[in-house]
Each structure stands twice: as structure tokens, then as C-alpha cells.
């Protein structure tokens, strides 16, 4: 990858511009203009997300259907008309790059982007109807998630003084989430313990017979993998589902060139226990319940080969 990648998709330039927009957002908040505060904040979030993708590689932020932009991403500046991905694609890609950028965060980011589009491209006034407490806490959580991934902080992004309030808001939200999850787990644990010992033992035995590949009905959304964990409430076999975020070939193809061994990594999105009905959503809730939301496994699979082009 060339070092002189075009400024439009340069990670540092995108990050710097997001800081400028965040500064404008904070100025509008200080002036009491909460509509424009949310507008600039939404723009800053999208630029920050693109900076994170471009930091991995500039090709992740250009439109794959626009060949000149792909050349620019490779370091060949053949055009200044660079086409970048939509907000929908941006936030979808971040779920694969940033471990804690889960589907809950993705959904919120899309909501604020859609309100931004409605504000700019229609007669609607979506920001006018949004109360500050309805979005700000989740906004700072999304930003903090991305900033941590690119090894910086809210303090660097918006200035130490201005970051004090968001940091306090995040700390209070984290405490509230942890308390709520612990109470939820405790209530399910208490209900399970009220059962007779023989019934609890029978439920444990039945839970051990459940296999991950038979649990798709538990999760309405489609995910890449389902794996087993111990339920923090009843200690029975329970299940987590999530998206694959990476893989490495740890053993090359065998002597016949058919099988290879792959280490895979997933980020948990949902937890469900069929025994006590405990359900958790998002990596933050899983973490608060003491469930490791990062899952790794090893898979032996048949190698896939590209089809012939048919022009030989």
C-alpha cells in the first residue's frame, strides 16, 4: 500500500476532519442548539468510522463498484472523484473490524445516520423531536468503542475538558448496565434454586444433550456461529451466537491438497439459556454477566478452489 494515499480516504485525514466536526458539535451544544449538535455529531461519527476502516486499509472505505476509486485506494491517484461507501456499509463493516461494535451499536449508528439524511434531504425535522437523553449516551458509547480500537480516546478526540462529561456519562451507564444485568442473573438463579433438587438435576442432564447446531430456533437473527457456555444463573449448558471477525490457517493442506486447519474468532452478540430462560443481548451485557464474548475455535475444512475462468 502506498504511503501517499489520496487525502479523501487517508485515515489520519479522516480522523482529523472528524475531530473538527466534533468540535463544531460541542460548540453548538454549548450554545444550546441541540438540533445542530446532533447533526455535526452524526457527521463526526461517520468520519470517525471511516478513519477506523481506512486505518486497516483504504480499500475498505471506497465503493468497490467504482474502479477508479479502487485504484486510488491502492495508491494510484488516477482521479480526485473518489466514491466512498454508504453509512449502511460502513457500520456493517465496523462490526467485523471492531470487536465491541456489535449489532446494537450498529443499529444505533444507522438510526442517527438516517435522521441525518432526513434532516439534510427532506423537509422533516428529525433532530427537533429527539431528546438529548434518548441518544447521547449511546452516541458516546459508539464513539468510545471506535476510538479505543484505533488506540486513542475521547480526551484526544474532543479535548480533555469537553470529554469529562461524556466520560462520566459512560461510567454511569456502565454501572447501571452492570447492576441491571447482575439483578437479572440473580433473579433467574433464585427461580432455578427454588426447584426441587431432583428437578434441577434432571434439567442439567437434559441441557447437556443440547447441541449448538440444533439451537437455531433460539436466535431469530442469522449469525455465523453458535457455541456453548455455562449459564451464569443456573450453570446449565447455554448458548451464545455471534459474528466471525477473523480466521488464520494454522495448518496448510494435507498431502492430497484437500483439507486445511483454520483458527476462527467470533464476537458474541446474544446469549440464551433454554433451561432458565435467561437472555442477554450485546457484548456489554455478556461482559457484565461474566460471559467471555470473544470465542475461538479450530475447524478442519475442505479447501475451496477458484473456478476456471474458461478462457484457457
Amino acid at each position: 500500500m502506498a504511503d501517499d494515499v489520496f487525502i479523501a480516504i487517508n485515515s489520519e485525514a479522516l480522523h482529523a476532519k472528524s475531530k473538527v466536526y466534533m468540535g463544531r458539535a460541542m460548540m453548538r451544544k454549548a450554545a444550546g442548539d441541540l438540533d445542530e449538535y446532533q447533526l455535526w455529531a452524526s457527521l463526526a461519527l461517520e468520519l470517525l468510522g471511516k478513519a477506523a476502516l481506512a486505518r486497516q486499509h483504504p480499500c475498505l472505505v471506497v465503493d468497490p463498484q467504482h474502479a477508479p476509486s479502487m485504484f486510488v485506494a491502492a495508491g494510484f491517484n488516477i482521479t480526485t472523484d473518489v466514491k466512498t461507501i454508504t453509512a449502511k456499509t460502513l457500520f456493517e463493516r465496523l462490526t467485523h473490524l471492531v470487536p465491541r461494535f456489535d449489532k446494537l451499536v450498529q443499529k444505533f449508528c444507522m438510526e442517527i445516520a438516517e435522521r441525518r439524511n432526513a434532516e439534510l434531504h427532506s423537509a422533516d425535522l428529525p433532530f427537533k423531536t429527539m431528546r438529548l437523553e434518548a441518544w447521547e449516551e449511546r452516541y458516546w458509547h459508539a464513539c468510545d468503542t471506535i476510538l479505543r480500537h484505533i488506540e486513542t480516546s475521547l480526551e484526544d478526540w474532543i479535548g480533555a475538558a469537553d470529554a469529562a462529561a461524556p466520560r462520566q456519562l459512560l461510567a454511569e451507564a456502565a454501572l447501571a448496565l452492570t447492576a441491571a444485568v447482575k439483578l437479572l442473573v440473580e433473579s433467574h438463579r433464585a427461580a432455578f434454586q427454588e426447584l426441587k433438587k431432583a428437578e434441577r438435576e434432571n434439567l442439567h442432564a437434559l441441557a447437556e444433550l443440547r447441541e449448538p447446531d440444533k439451537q437455531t430456533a433460539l436466535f431469530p437473527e442469522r449469525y455465523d456461529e453458535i457455541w456453548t457456555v455455562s449459564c451464569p444463573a443456573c450453570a446449565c449448558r447455554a448458548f451464545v451466537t455471534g459474528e466471525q471477525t477473523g480466521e488464520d490457517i494454522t495448518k496448510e493442506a494435507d498431502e492430497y491438497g484437500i483439507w486445511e486447519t483454520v483458527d476462527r474468532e467470533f464476537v458474541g452478540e446474544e446469549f440464551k439459556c433454554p433451561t432458565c430462560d435467561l437472555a442477554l443481548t450485546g457484548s456489554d451485557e455478556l461482559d457484565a454477566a461474566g460471559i467471555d464474548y470473544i470465542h475461538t475455535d479450530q475447524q478442519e475444512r475442505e479447501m475451496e478452489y477458484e473456478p476456471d475462468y474458461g478462457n484457457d
Side-chain angles (χ1 to χ4, degrees):
M1 181 177 67
D3 294 330
D4 59 343
V5 66
F6 188 56
I7 190 171
I9 53 173
N10 178 279
S11 178
E12 292 183 2
L14 287 163
H15 181 252
K17 189 172 181 179
S18 75
K19 291 175 71 171
V20 171
Y21 279 20
M22 193 67 249
R24 293 177 184 176
M26 299 305 288
M27 287 176 62
R28 299 321 303 158
K29 181 182 181 181
D33 186 349
L34 299 185
D35 297 359
E36 198 167 328
Y37 167 41
Q38 189 176 176
L39 173 60
W40 286 112
S42 67
L43 294 168
L45 172 61
E46 187 165 339
L47 286 167
L48 180 63
K50 287 182 176 179
L53 288 184
R55 184 173 185 261
Q56 192 70 28
H57 198 287
C59 71
L60 292 175
V61 297
V62 298
D63 182 353
Q65 302 301 317
H66 189 244
S69 296
M70 294 295 291
F71 271 94
V72 174
F76 297 94
N77 297 335
I78 65 174
T79 181
T80 58
D81 182 25
V82 178
K83 308 294 186 185
T84 59
I85 55 177
T86 64
K88 183 177 184 296
T89 302
L90 164 66
F91 297 131
E92 165 65 26
R93 289 183 178 180
L94 284 174
T95 65
H96 297 284
L97 179 69
V98 183
R100 298 198 78 136
F101 197 95
D102 57 28
K103 287 191 178 294
L104 289 178
V105 180
Q106 178 192 4
K107 182 175 182 291
F108 164 75
C109 290
M110 270 309 303
E111 288 170 353
I112 196 172
E114 287 167 358
R115 289 198 297 274
R116 186 270 318 284
N117 289 342
E119 179 77 21
L120 294 176
H121 304 298
S122 76
D124 289 341
L125 299 172
F127 291 156
K128 182 73 70 176
T129 59
M130 285 298 296
R131 294 176 292 106
L132 193 63
E133 58 270 23
W135 68 273
E136 192 179 38
E137 176 187 298
R138 291 185 295 162
Y139 175 82
W140 291 123
H141 174 66
C143 294
D144 189 55
T145 299
I146 299 171
L147 288 163
R148 287 176 183 271
H149 179 75
I150 62 176
E151 300 176 331
T152 184
S153 64
L154 284 170
E155 287 76 10
D156 173 74
W157 196 46
I158 62 178
D162 285 336
R167 185 66 71 194
Q168 179 65 23
L169 197 63
L170 287 175
E172 291 172 358
L175 288 173
L177 176 69
T178 299
V181 169
K182 286 184 176 179
L183 284 173
L184 183 64
V185 171
E186 186 54 41
S187 67
H188 282 263
R189 180 184 296 123
F192 185 76
Q193 289 301 318
E194 288 178 0
L195 301 175
K196 294 181 179 179
K197 181 179 179 182
E199 187 174 358
R200 294 200 306 270
E201 291 176 347
N202 183 53
L203 288 172
H204 270 288
L206 288 174
E208 289 301 308
L209 299 176
R210 297 189 179 103
E211 295 299 328
D213 60 351
K214 304 296 184 182
Q215 307 306 314
T216 54
L218 280 176
F219 304 99
E221 298 287 339
R222 182 181 178 277
Y223 293 99
D224 292 335
E225 189 74 5
I226 300 174
W227 58 92
T228 60
V229 296
S230 177
C231 176
C234 67
C236 291
R237 173 179 280 195
F239 303 93
V240 175
T241 189
E243 302 282 353
Q244 183 171 345
T245 57
E247 69 176 32
D248 290 306
I249 297 176
T250 54
K251 184 179 179 182
E252 297 293 341
D254 59 20
E255 59 182 307
Y256 302 105
I258 298 176
W259 300 96
E260 62 185 2
T261 303
V262 180
D263 285 339
R264 305 185 300 168
E265 182 179 272
F266 302 86
V267 173
E269 297 275 0
E270 280 192 76
F271 163 92
K272 288 189 178 178
C273 176
T275 302
C276 71
D277 294 325
L278 177 64
L280 302 167
T281 304
S283 56
D284 289 332
E285 288 194 3
L286 270 65
D287 193 35
I291 300 170
D292 188 356
Y293 60 89
I294 301 295
H295 172 71
T296 59
D297 70 8
Q298 192 171 81
Q299 180 188 63
E300 187 177 58
R301 68 187 183 193
E302 188 173 359
M303 293 186 67
E304 295 182 357
Y305 294 93
E306 292 292 330
D308 291 336
Y309 285 107
N311 59 355
D312 50 319

